[in-house]
Amino acid sequence: MSLPRLVAFDLDDTLAPSKSPVPHRMLSAFAELLDRTTVAVISGGNFEQFEAQLISQLDSADSVSEEALTRLHLLPTCGTRYERREAGAWHTVYREQLTQDERDAALTALREEAERLGLWEAEPWGEILEDRGSQITFSALGQRAPVDAKHAWDADGTKKNTLRAAVAERLPGLEVRSGGSTSVDITRRGIDKAYGMRKLEEHTGISLSEMLFVGDRLDPDGNDYPVKAMGVTSHAVAGWEDTADFVEQLLAK
């Protein structure tokens, strides 16, 4: 495969372990890719999570120039927000906020259905529900749960997908999708990662046919699936090590 004009990545469990900094090997490959083509990151995490996991790492890397950063496009909260680098700072292109009523309904449905299904953790690591403005996120074990505990909680995705289906039935006007290893994300109807990819096409002038997407949740219940379903060339990975292998192979061509 020749190097695409734009390569887009999921963040958690694709570029980095869940809510952890991008590992050095992955960061090096990412920086080299950014030197050679346009790169985007589109993930369920909020912008602060992007800053902690990726941006701070890039800022401290001597090999990443300001010119390279202008080729980086960031789409937090499943593409409901879009940030671009201009004059040495990140600037918001758009932000698709949920209304207060939509946020309240989503928070209520998530808590009630999780309790009904026996999925509400009594002693979580941090908050289970998070209002990100443009997205409501449920994290079964809490926002600060250890990576090993998160992966062990629902290895086959059954718990998370059952909760997603129950909540989606109560919120027909909103988009409800499985997110990371323990999360369910809720956005406005039609605002998902496919929406974010279309915005990338609009703002970069690069057609979807010239893009490649890399993610760990390309299964039909995953929040990466809308990108694959819209026909964008996609590559599935099982963790950041797979991604590093794949990017290094791309760069070697």
Side-chain angles (χ1 to χ4, degrees):
M1 174 187 292
S2 59
L3 199 61
R5 287 189 64 198
L6 184 149
V7 183
F9 297 92
D10 174 45
L11 180 54
D12 274 355
D13 297 317
T14 297
L15 289 176
S18 180
K19 294 191 177 172
S20 302
V22 175
H24 178 73
R25 178 189 166 205
M26 185 67 254
L27 191 71
S28 295
F30 187 92
E32 185 176 347
L33 186 67
L34 195 56
D35 273 337
R36 294 177 53 184
T37 194
T38 302
V39 178
V41 180
I42 179 168
S43 174
N46 59 22
F47 187 65
E48 290 70 26
Q49 190 174 326
F50 275 55
E51 289 181 309
Q53 292 182 259
L54 176 63
I55 298 171
S56 61
Q57 305 288 97
L58 291 172
D59 284 344
S60 62
D62 294 336
S63 60
V64 181
S65 67
E66 189 60 38
E67 180 186 356
L69 289 175
T70 65
R71 291 190 288 273
L72 179 58
H73 303 255
L74 303 178
L75 294 95
T77 50
C78 291
T80 64
R81 180 174 173 180
Y82 183 178
E83 298 285 326
R84 291 190 67 169
R85 188 81 167 186
E86 297 176 9
W90 295 99
H91 293 271
T92 303
V93 178
Y94 69 75
R95 192 169 184 175
E96 303 284 2
Q97 294 286 85
L98 291 163
T99 67
Q100 187 62 56
D101 286 347
E102 288 170 333
R103 301 205 304 272
D104 289 346
L107 290 165
T108 298
L110 282 167
R111 174 151 197 155
E112 291 181 354
E113 292 303 317
E115 289 176 339
R116 181 180 67 82
L117 293 166
L119 301 178
W120 188 266
E121 183 67 31
E123 298 182 2
W125 286 274
E127 295 297 322
I128 291 175
L129 295 175
E130 184 181 2
D131 183 348
R132 296 174 176 173
S134 57
Q135 177 178 292
I136 300 297
T137 295
F138 168 90
S139 298
L141 301 180
Q143 294 290 330
R144 299 189 300 277
V147 172
D148 289 348
K150 292 167 79 169
H151 285 168
W153 179 75
D154 187 25
D156 65 358
T158 300
K159 295 176 183 177
K160 188 171 50 174
N161 292 338
T162 299
L163 176 61
R164 185 212 66 77
V167 172
E169 188 172 342
R170 288 183 54 168
L171 302 173
L174 297 176
E175 199 75 49
V176 185
R177 287 209 168 267
S178 295
S181 51
T182 64
S183 65
V184 173
D185 298 323
I186 299 177
T187 62
R188 284 175 49 200
R189 172 65 71 185
I191 309 293
D192 55 18
K193 290 190 179 183
Y195 176 89
M197 295 298 285
R198 292 190 191 97
K199 287 295 187 180
L200 279 172
E201 181 181 44
E202 175 186 332
H203 287 277
T204 64
I206 299 171
S207 69
L208 293 172
S209 64
E210 298 175 291
M211 297 183 187
L212 168 69
F213 178 80
V214 181
D216 71 307
R217 290 303 316 276
L218 286 161
D219 56 284
D221 289 315
N223 66 358
D224 294 332
Y225 183 73
V227 180
K228 180 180 179 180
M230 74 189 298
V232 173
T233 300
S234 300
H235 180 82
V237 295
W240 74 265
E241 297 93 342
D242 277 358
T243 308
D245 287 343
F246 179 67
V247 172
E248 287 166 357
Q249 290 167 13
L250 273 181
L251 292 168
K253 296 185 184 226

